[in-house]
């Protein structure tokens, strides 16, 4: 699933570690989501959207395979 997480994080000048603390997940989880190796849980996607003040669809682009 494509995402804008790295761009949104960089705009706020947050490290992966800082974002992980704000979301309550590991830095490795943030890295895996940013590099599209792992999709976030629905709960985590909602928390990300809330943190950035956006809709989930504005952060993540679903790819129908």
């Amino acid at each position: 699933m494509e995402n804008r997480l790295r761009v949104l994080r960089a705009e706020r000048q947050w490290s992966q570690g800082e974002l992980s603390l704000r979301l309550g997940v590991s830095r490795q989880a943030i890295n895996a989501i940013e590099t599209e190796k792992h999709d976030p849980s629905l709960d985590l996607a909602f928390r990300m959207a809330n943190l950035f003040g956006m809709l989930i669809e504005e952060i993540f682009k679903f790819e129908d395979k």
Side-chain angles (χ1 to χ4, degrees):
M1 179 179 325
E2 290 182 30
N3 68 75
R4 299 180 50 216
L5 191 56
R6 184 181 311 238
V7 172
L8 295 170
R9 178 177 60 77
E11 288 174 351
R12 288 153 181 82
Q13 299 180 336
W14 294 342
S15 66
Q16 287 182 342
E18 186 171 353
L19 179 58
S20 72
L21 289 173
R22 291 173 182 265
L23 293 170
V25 298
S26 69
R27 185 201 58 78
Q28 292 84 355
I30 297 298
N31 181 269
I33 294 167
E34 283 187 355
T35 58
E36 300 175 7
K37 294 178 182 172
H38 179 74
D39 293 334
S41 66
L42 186 55
D43 175 66
L44 181 54
F46 272 108
R47 286 188 281 144
M48 289 175 173
N50 187 52
L51 178 64
F52 290 112
M54 304 175 87
L55 298 173
I56 291 175
E57 296 91 338
E58 294 175 302
I59 301 173
F60 298 96
K61 179 181 177 187
F62 176 72
E63 297 174 3
D64 192 16
K65 296 182 180 181

